[in-house]
């Protein structure tokens, strides 16, 4: 089987889940397209461009499939994930090229679907589940050099933002039992993984209801200025509890999470052994501040800087409430690195709304940003209720303006780190030069430095070269909007570095 992944980190994790299931059914994995009996594309539907990439890829695979057919070694092609869920009929009928279609909740069914395909029939399962979390499947890790890993903690989404297709392709929100998440993180720690990212559509609405004694816990209270389209659900263990437990597993393992939703701060309803300080109203924020191995980095998707557009998007907050949250975060976690998502040219967006997004980018000064032009998706509320009335050229111009402003401000934010020492987890050689290494700092910003011999911070050890999985201190000498460059000071550990700070 040959697996190809498109789209978000959830899809990277889904690829690992699908491969784990197939491995147990006797499949071997190849990285060579020509060796494959089965080619599976794990797809994304969030934007039209992502789907177009898949259609283009299928055109390329059509010729390969025809050649293989003539040679008497048939090739099966499968479409997995969000696009399978959204476009099942079209995928199966367009040129009869695809043999297997499996939605995000149907990966357990892959061996059966592929067996049906072997008989020459098309096979599909796009049923969405109310409880599938793949909790018992410990994924076989395939990410960068075994240094970092993604751990899925929940699936689906209940927020129903008007632009978003995720609730329709990934179903309703359900959380994985904490016990199975902890088991996976322990396994990764034993394998030597040094950084785990907890994944979910919005992780801070996590709610594990598998343990009976926590069924009566109160529903969380939203901060002033935030609202939701659904009633807050009582019962269950919340995200702060999970984060607390995960961070205790291995003091040398970094913990990140993505994506939280701005409406789900604070969440004081859980009782942890934390006394909340006045400048830190949220237990999640306080845990980030207090635990040396939880990265001081937060992804806060804004989508727009205009309250009017945010309302049309059904985001559940105003510009003012979002900025107040940013202020709380910065007060609570000094030096925090912030990232965000923005959509240019949403339905009905006026020039004034766009300028408000520009001003939000300037005011917050994000370190990392993901910016896209709006593309209307079928099934969403916007598709049924709103008009995609911002011309393509205007969307493009606005997007380019947002990217230019983001880069300018990110460069300023990153330049503030010049002269500082940054703790970096080495990931491997730099893509552009074999004589340089690349890693990420606590704030998830890429750091590049020469591959030179270095000593351990504790001293007494012979000089050695840093390897993937090592923590090193790098003194930053220059910065751009996307990257820091520096010189290697020494190898160290996460705990030792925390003790110095």
């Amino acid at each position: 089987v040959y697996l190809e992944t498109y789209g978000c980190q959830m899809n990277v994790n889904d690829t690992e889940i699908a491969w784990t299931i197939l491995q147990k059914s006797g499949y071997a994995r190849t990285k060579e397209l020509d060796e494959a009996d089965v080619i599976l594309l794990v797809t994304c539907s969030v934007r039209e461009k992502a789907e177009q990439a898949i259609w283009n890829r299928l055109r390329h695979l059509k010729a390969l499939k025809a050649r293989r057919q003539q040679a008497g070694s048939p090739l099966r092609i499968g479409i997995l994930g969000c696009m399978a869920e959204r476009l099942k009929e079209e995928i199966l009928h367009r040129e009869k090229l695809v043999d297997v279609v499996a939605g995000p909740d149907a990966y357990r069914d892959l061996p059966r679907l592929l067996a049906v395909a072997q008989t020459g029939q098309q096979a599909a399962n796009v049923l969405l589940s109310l409880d599938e979390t793949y909790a018992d499947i410990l994924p076989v890790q395939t990410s960068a050099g075994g240094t970092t890993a993604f751990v899925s903690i929940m699936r689906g989404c209940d927020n129903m933002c008007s632009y978003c297709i995720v609730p329709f392709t990934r179903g309703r929100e359900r959380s994985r039992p904490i016990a199975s998440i902890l088991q996976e993180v322990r396994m990764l720690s034993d394998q030597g993984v040094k950084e785990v990212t907890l994944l979910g559509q919005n992780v801070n609405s996590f709610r594990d209801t598998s343990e009976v004694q926590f069924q009566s816990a109160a529903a969380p209270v939203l901060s002033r200025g935030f609202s939701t389209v659904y009633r807050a659900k009582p019962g269950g263990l919340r995200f702060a509890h999970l984060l607390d437990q995960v961070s205790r597993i291995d003091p040398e393992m970094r913990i990140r999470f993505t994506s939280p939703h701005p409406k789900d701060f604070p969440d004081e309803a859980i009782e942890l052994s934390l006394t909340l300080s006045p400048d830190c109203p949220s237990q999640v924020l306080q845990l980030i501040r207090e635990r040396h191995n939880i990265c001081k980095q937060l992804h806060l998707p804004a989508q727009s800087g205009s309250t009017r557009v945010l309302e049309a998007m059904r985001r559940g907050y105003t510009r003012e409430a979002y900025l107040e949250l940013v202020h709380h975060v910065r007060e609570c976690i000094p030096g925090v690195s912030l990232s965000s998502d923005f959509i240019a040219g949403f339905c009905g967006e006026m020039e004034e709304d766009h300028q408000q997004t520009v001003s939000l980018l300037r005011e917050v000064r994000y370190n990392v940003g993901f910016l896209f032009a709006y593309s209307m998706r079928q099934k969403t509320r916007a598709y049924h209720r709103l008009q995609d009335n911002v011309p393509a050229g205007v969307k493009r111009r606005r997007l380019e303006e947002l990217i230019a402003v983001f880069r300018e401000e990110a460069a300023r934010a990153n330049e503030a780190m010049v002269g500082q020492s940054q703790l970096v987890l080495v990931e491997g050689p730099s893509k552009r030069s074999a004589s340089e290494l690349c890693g990420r700092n606590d704030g998830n910003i890429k750091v590049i430095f020469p591959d030179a011999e270095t000593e351990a911070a504790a001293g007494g050890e012979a000089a050695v070269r840093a390897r993937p999985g090592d923590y090193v201190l790098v003194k930053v000498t220059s910065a751009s909007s996307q990257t820091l460059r520096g010189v290697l000071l020494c190898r160290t550990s996460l705990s030792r570095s925390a003790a110095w700070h």
Side-chain angles (χ1 to χ4, degrees), residues 55 58 65 76-80 91-101 121-123:
W55 290 122
L58 285 174
K65 191 172 184 179
R76 307 286 170 226
I77 295 173
I79 296 287
L80 275 51
I91 292 165
L92 288 173
H93 295 132
R94 196 190 273 198
E95 297 169 20
K96 298 276 189 215
L97 174 68
V98 174
D99 304 284
V100 167
V101 174
Q121 300 175 71
Q122 288 182 309

Side-chain angles (χ1 to χ4, degrees), residues 417 419-422 473-478 485-489:
M417 288 180 246
Q420 293 179 4
S421 297
Q422 293 285 319
L473 276 180
V474 174
K475 186 171 185 180
V476 180
T477 53
S478 67
R485 286 186 165 271
V487 292
L488 186 57
L489 298 178

Side-chain angles (χ1 to χ4, degrees), residues 137-305:
I137 294 171
L138 296 180
V140 177
Q141 293 303 321
T142 55
S143 46
T147 299
T148 63
F150 298 122
V151 173
S152 175
I153 67 166
M154 61 197 299
R155 298 179 77 81
C157 186
D158 286 350
N159 283 320
M160 296 294 182
C161 300
S162 58
Y163 55 82
C164 186
I165 196 165
V166 168
F168 304 97
T169 59
R170 286 191 168 268
R172 303 317 292 264
E173 207 167 86
R174 63 267 187 208
S175 300
R176 184 176 160 187
I178 284 181
S180 89
I181 298 167
L182 298 180
Q183 182 191 359
E184 185 174 342
V185 175
R186 283 189 202 101
M187 179 188 81
L188 293 170
S189 169
D190 292 342
Q191 289 171 6
V193 168
K194 289 293 178 68
E195 181 179 291
V196 158
T197 303
L198 305 177
L199 289 182
Q201 205 57 41
N202 48 284
V203 290
N204 52 344
S205 65
F206 176 88
R207 192 174 71 98
D208 171 16
T209 55
S210 66
E211 295 189 37
V212 176
Q213 69 267 40
F214 298 103
Q215 299 289 21
S216 62
V221 180
L222 295 178
S223 296
R224 191 175 72 245
F226 291 85
S227 64
T228 169
V229 295
Y230 58 83
R231 284 237 303 273
K233 304 174 188 83
L237 288 168
R238 302 280 167 175
F239 184 60
H241 185 94
L242 172 66
L243 197 56
D244 172 47
Q245 295 293 307
V246 167
S247 69
R248 292 173 189 270
I249 287 172
D250 181 351
E252 289 301 310
M253 180 191 266
R254 270 181 175 172
I255 310 298
R256 300 189 191 278
F257 57 86
T258 198
S259 287
H261 192 291
K263 74 173 171 44
D264 292 314
F265 297 99
D267 50 6
E268 314 97 315
I270 322 106
E271 290 304 320
L272 292 181
S273 55
L274 285 173
T275 310
L276 289 180
S277 58
D279 62 345
C280 212
S282 159
Q283 290 185 327
V284 169
L285 297 180
Q286 185 144 334
L287 278 166
I288 297 171
R289 177 166 81 176
E290 290 186 3
R291 300 283 158 86
H292 75 273
N293 62 336
I294 303 179
C295 292
K296 311 293 177 273
Q297 174 239 330
L298 205 52
H299 186 62
L300 281 182
Q303 308 300 0
S304 172

